[in-house]
Amino acid sequence: MPGTVLLLCLALGPVLRARCESTEEYDYDYLSINKTWVLTPKAQETDATQILNALLKNYDNKLRPDIGIKPTFIDVDIYVNSIGPVSVIQMEYTIDIFFAQTWYDRRLRFNSTLKALTLNTNMVSRIWIPDTFFRNSKRADSHWITTPNQLLRIWNDGKVLYTLRLTIEAECLLQLQNFPMDTHSCPLVFSSYGYPREEIVYRWRRYSIEVSDQRTWRLYQFDFTGLRNTSEVLRTGAGEYMVMTVSFDLSRRMGYFAIQTYIPCILTVVLSWVSFWIKRDSTPARTSLGITTVLTMTTLSTISRKHLPRVSYITAMDLFVSVCFIFVFAALMEYATLNYLVGNKKPLEHNNRKARLPPAGAQVMPSFTTININNIMHWPPEIEEDEDEDPGSPCLEGKECERFFCCIEDCQTGMWREGRVRIHISRLDSYSRVFFPTAFLLFNIVYWIAYLYL
């Protein structure tokens, strides 16, 4: 048995040694194949280098293509990466774009199996590129991390594509008459800095402008509603220039201002009406309530202008806050008027009672005052010496008195004194309970219809 095992080992030894050698050869061949695969583009690298050296040998990057023959046509494409935020105070907005320009340069034609050469930024300074600048930009930055975000691609027919990523802070003149229900069109304007229309012509393509997902944009107070692109010719003393404009349409969201300004103003006005249901003898309560609401409206007015530029015209929010302030102030003045008139009427009534007491069973009319509505009004009204005030005298039978007005003195003879009515001073709060809410409701209906639908 041991002899048999020894014979098997001697017989299988060469076979195992051969399999190990073949495995080593297979691994070596695999490594050699990988090395060959990595080094295969070397011929194309040599070809690209020779092409670039040949193209740049007699190339003058100071001269535009086809100079003295025809203008250079530049096709423009813009990809909007993001818009925002929009600064209302500075009247500017921030935009992040990929800006692409395409033109033909016959000096960069080449014959090769390569259809296009994709190059880095080192090649940008060695060929001619358009001197495009943004006319309404305040600040502009080109991205440089991790490398300059620029692309240069040259096709074998001389077509050149140059793209770069820019973040621009551009001017946007906001018209705030309808603030905060306003809409705006923020432009991005660019043109050639030195070449007039006879030398450089910019053109829009059919789908020149594209936008990214708007959910990543920082338009906190605005909604993006659309865009439009136009081109025009600007005539200056240096020549006529082709100016390209992209306008971004924005509409403001009202949620923030409704919570911060409109609702507090409405509630403050409604709170000022509470004084109409407080007894007129409660002077401290009604006075403190009126002063508190007036001061609250003053604070709200100041806060509403905090985030706005100091424009000279009245905005929609200014109008609303001002009218609310007038209502609150009028509510305070209503009690001051009531307190003054009632306070001046009491001594007169007291003296009349001492001088002449009404007969038993006579109907006593409430206190009133006479107001001249045709001539100049005197407040409080002056008591004429020739009038015999008799608050206890009833009206003539068959002559109905108005609900809010007392019978005039000539009612006893069936004659109405022209231009004079008598109003119940004690009912001034009752009038205010109806007049103030009705007037404020009508104002809100007219205000919101005018600014939202007209």
Side-chain angles (χ1 to χ4, degrees):
M1 186 68 179
T4 304
V5 173
L6 181 61
L7 290 174
L8 289 172
C9 291
L10 293 175
L12 295 175
V15 176
L16 295 174
R17 190 179 302 108
R19 288 182 62 86
C20 292
E21 291 176 357
S22 63
T23 303
E24 292 177 358
E25 291 177 1
Y26 174 79
D27 293 339
Y28 179 79
D29 293 338
Y30 177 74
L31 293 176
S32 63
I33 290 174
N34 285 343
K35 290 181 180 179
T36 305
W37 179 80
V38 172
L39 297 177
T40 49
K42 186 171 183 179
Q44 293 185 359
E45 290 180 2
T46 304
D47 189 15
T49 303
Q50 294 176 354
I51 292 173
L52 290 178
N53 292 334
L55 292 177
L56 300 177
K57 183 176 181 181
N58 297 318
Y59 189 90
D60 189 355
N61 60 358
K62 297 186 295 296
L63 303 177
R64 69 170 181 86
D66 300 326
I67 185 172
I69 301 175
K70 63 179 180 178
T72 302
F73 294 92
I74 300 177
D75 297 325
V76 180
D77 298 277
I78 295 178
Y79 181 81
V80 181
N81 193 30
S82 66
I83 299 178
V86 179
S87 176
V88 179
I89 297 179
Q90 301 295 332
M91 289 196 177
E92 64 183 20
Y93 72 102
T94 303
I95 183 171
D96 186 2
I97 62 172
F98 293 95
F99 188 68
Q101 301 175 89
T102 305
W103 67 94
Y104 282 89
D105 192 344
R106 294 187 298 176
R107 298 172 295 179
L108 298 178
R109 293 177 180 176
F110 60 90
N111 294 321
S112 174
T113 57
L114 297 175
K115 298 297 182 181
L117 298 176
T118 302
L119 309 171
N120 60 11
T121 57
N122 295 327
M123 190 67 180
V124 174
S125 60
R126 305 188 66 179
I127 67 171
W128 179 89
I129 58 175
D131 59 342
T132 306
F133 83 109
F134 294 89
R135 306 183 71 93
N136 65 329
S137 67
K138 292 184 176 180
R139 289 168 294 275
D141 295 322
S142 180
H143 294 254
W144 297 88
I145 303 300
T146 57
T147 59
N149 297 172
Q150 299 178 357
L151 168 67
L152 182 65
R153 185 172 296 169
I154 303 175
W155 279 265
N156 55 4
D157 59 350
K159 180 181 177 180
V160 181
L161 171 65
Y162 175 56
T163 67
L164 69 162
R165 183 184 177 187
L166 299 171
T167 298
I168 303 171
E169 295 181 8
E171 293 179 348
C172 182
L173 298 179
L174 306 178
Q175 301 297 327
L176 302 174
Q177 286 86 352
N178 295 334
F179 175 86
M181 294 158 283
D182 48 346
T183 58
H184 304 285
S185 181
C186 294
L188 183 64
V189 186
F190 61 92
S191 67
S192 172
Y193 189 84
Y195 293 100
R197 185 178 60 168
E198 293 78 13
E199 299 190 44
I200 283 185
V201 177
Y202 290 92
R203 297 183 302 188
W204 294 111
R205 290 186 177 180
R206 184 175 182 182
Y207 301 103
S208 295
I209 305 175
E210 298 181 1
V211 296
S212 64
D213 188 3
Q214 302 177 20
R215 291 176 295 181
T216 61
W217 295 6
R218 293 180 295 170
L219 293 175
Y220 306 116
Q221 297 182 9
F222 294 89
D223 285 323
F224 176 73
T225 59
L227 58 85
R228 59 186 184 275
N229 53 335
T230 59
S231 59
E232 59 181 351
V233 177
L234 177 63
R235 292 177 174 82
T236 64
E240 298 180 353
Y241 294 87
M242 182 67 69
V243 178
M244 315 295 283
T245 304
V246 186
S247 299
F248 303 95
D249 297 330
L250 307 175
S251 63
R252 194 184 300 273
R253 301 172 183 172
M254 277 198 57
Y256 172 82
F257 303 98
I259 296 174
Q260 295 293 324
T261 303
Y262 282 96
I263 294 178
C265 287
I266 294 174
L267 294 179
T268 303
V269 173
V270 174
L271 181 62
S272 67
W273 301 340
V274 176
S275 63
F276 301 148
W277 279 266
I278 300 177
K279 295 181 180 179
R280 65 170 180 262
D281 296 335
S282 303
T283 303
R286 297 189 65 165
T287 304
S288 59
L289 178 61
I291 294 176
T292 301
T293 53
V294 169
L295 294 178
T296 302
M297 283 304 308
T298 304
T299 303
L300 291 174
S301 177
T302 304
I303 294 175
S304 65
R305 297 287 301 181
K306 183 178 180 180
H307 302 290
L308 288 178
R310 296 177 180 178
V311 294
S312 58
Y313 48 83
I314 298 177
T315 64
M317 180 178 288
D318 293 337
L319 177 61
F320 189 86
V321 173
S322 300
V323 172
C324 290
F325 184 86
I326 292 174
F327 272 92
V328 171
F329 187 77
L332 178 61
M333 290 295 101
E334 183 270 345
Y335 176 67
T337 303
L338 176 64
N339 189 49
Y340 178 77
L341 293 178
V342 172
N344 285 351
K345 199 70 178 177
K346 285 182 178 180
L348 179 61
E349 294 178 355
H350 182 69
N351 294 335
N352 289 339
R353 289 195 186 97
K354 287 184 178 181
R356 180 175 55 191
L357 294 176
Q363 183 180 359
V364 180
M365 300 291 291
S367 61
F368 54 83
T369 187
T370 303
I371 303 177
N372 193 338
I373 62 175
N374 284 344
N375 302 323
I376 300 178
M377 299 178 65
H378 301 282
W379 198 270
E382 299 178 358
I383 301 175
E384 298 180 5
E385 297 179 356
D386 56 346
E387 293 188 16
D388 185 11
E389 299 289 346
D390 188 5
S393 59
C395 295
L396 186 65
E397 293 184 3
K399 179 70 69 172
E400 296 181 356
C401 296
E402 299 291 339
R403 180 179 179 182
F404 296 132
F405 297 92
C406 185
C407 295
I408 51 180
E409 185 177 358
D410 288 344
C411 183
Q412 298 295 333
T413 61
M415 299 291 294
W416 289 88
R417 177 174 296 176
E418 182 179 359
R420 287 183 176 270
V421 293
R422 293 180 180 179
I423 302 175
H424 288 290
I425 296 301
S426 59
R427 293 184 181 178
L428 190 58
D429 281 341
S430 300
Y431 307 154
S432 300
R433 294 171 193 172
V434 177
F435 173 76
F436 276 79
T438 304
F440 191 68
L441 178 61
L442 292 176
F443 164 74
N444 276 272
I445 293 174
V446 174
Y447 177 86
W448 294 110
I449 291 178
Y451 281 102
L452 291 180
Y453 300 104
L454 298 182

